[in-house]
Amino acid sequence: CGLNCETVDPPLLHEPCLAVTRHSIKMWCDLEHLKCNYPSCRTMISNDEKCKRIHEPFDSREYYTSARPDLGYLPIGPRLDSWISFQKIKESNQFFITPSSKRKFAFNAIFSQSTNMARKKLAAAIESQGATSKLAMFTAIAKEWHSQANNARTEQLDTDHYMEVLLDSVFTLS
C-alpha cells in the first residue's frame, strides 16, 4: 500500500470531522490512509451504490443499506453537472417551485439499469405497468450508465431535462 502517514496539521481536536473516500479496488489502502492522516475523524465511503463494501469498518456511507442499519448515511447530493443545470433554471425570472398538486408528473423514473440489479427489475415493472397507469409518469431508462450524461451518444437524459423533470414530478423512482 505504501502508506505515507502525514497527520493533518493542525490537528482537529474538537471540530466535527468526516474523512471520505470512494469505493475502489484499493479500499483497504484508502481506509488506512484516512485513519492515519485523520485519526480523530469519522470515516465514510462514497460511490458504493452496489453495496460491495458494506462490511468494511466505515462509520457511514453515501447510500443507505438495510444490511447495515447501524451505519449512518449521508446522501452527498446531486452531481455537479445536474447542479449547474438546476442553477441555470433558478436564474430565470419565472422560476418558482411548483406545488406538488400542480406538477405534471406523479412519478419519474430516470436511471441506468447497469448500476444495480434491482433497477433492472424496476425497469421491467415500470415497462409492464406504465401504459396502464392512470398517473402521469416520465421515464428515461438507459441500459448503461455513463459518466458524461450530457453526451448525446449515451442513452441517458441530459441534465437540463433531468432537472426540469425532477422539478415537475411529485415522486422519483430509482
Side-chain angles (χ1 to χ4, degrees):
C1 175
L3 187 63
N4 181 12
C5 186
E6 297 176 15
T7 303
V8 174
D9 191 32
L12 302 167
L13 299 176
H14 301 291
E15 301 295 324
C17 177
L18 181 64
V20 181
T21 189
R22 72 199 180 298
H23 173 274
S24 74
I25 295 170
K26 305 181 307 171
M27 186 54 55
W28 280 106
C29 185
D30 293 344
L31 182 58
E32 289 305 312
H33 277 151
L34 288 181
K35 288 182 175 185
C36 180
N37 293 328
Y38 305 96
S40 63
C41 295
R42 298 284 185 150
T43 59
M44 178 176 163
I45 182 173
S46 69
N47 300 58
D48 186 28
E49 187 172 311
K50 295 182 181 180
C51 298
K52 297 212 181 257
R53 304 292 183 180
I54 60 172
H55 297 295
E56 294 189 11
F58 289 97
D59 298 304
S60 59
R61 318 175 33 79
E62 178 181 8
Y63 298 98
Y64 173 79
T65 175
S66 59
R68 290 291 310 273
D70 57 310
L71 291 179
Y73 75 102
L74 177 67
I76 291 183
R79 293 169 36 136
L80 180 58
D81 49 8
S82 296
W83 180 252
I84 291 168
S85 291
F86 177 59
Q87 295 307 310
K88 286 192 298 189
I89 292 169
K90 273 182 48 179
E91 289 172 4
S92 165
N93 291 339
Q94 289 85 30
F95 174 76
F96 68 97
I97 301 290
T98 305
S100 58
S101 62
K102 304 261 189 243
R103 295 182 188 169
K104 182 177 181 180
F105 304 109
F107 300 94
N108 75 66
I110 304 170
F111 57 86
S112 300
Q113 294 181 48
S114 66
T115 56
N116 191 303
M117 185 55 101
R119 286 189 169 155
K120 289 180 182 177
K121 293 177 184 175
L122 178 59
I126 290 168
E127 187 176 308
S128 70
Q129 299 293 319
T132 61
S133 176
K134 294 178 183 172
L135 300 172
M137 181 188 296
F138 179 93
T139 59
I141 303 172
K143 287 196 183 350
E144 295 294 322
W145 178 85
H146 296 277
S147 61
Q148 320 289 264
N150 291 323
N151 184 332
R153 290 182 287 191
T154 74
E155 294 179 275
Q156 293 171 202
L157 186 67
D158 67 85
T159 58
D160 289 345
H161 288 104
Y162 170 74
M163 289 310 301
E164 288 172 7
V165 171
L166 287 185
L167 290 168
D168 213 6
S169 300
V170 179
F171 296 103
T172 294
L173 304 175
S174 72

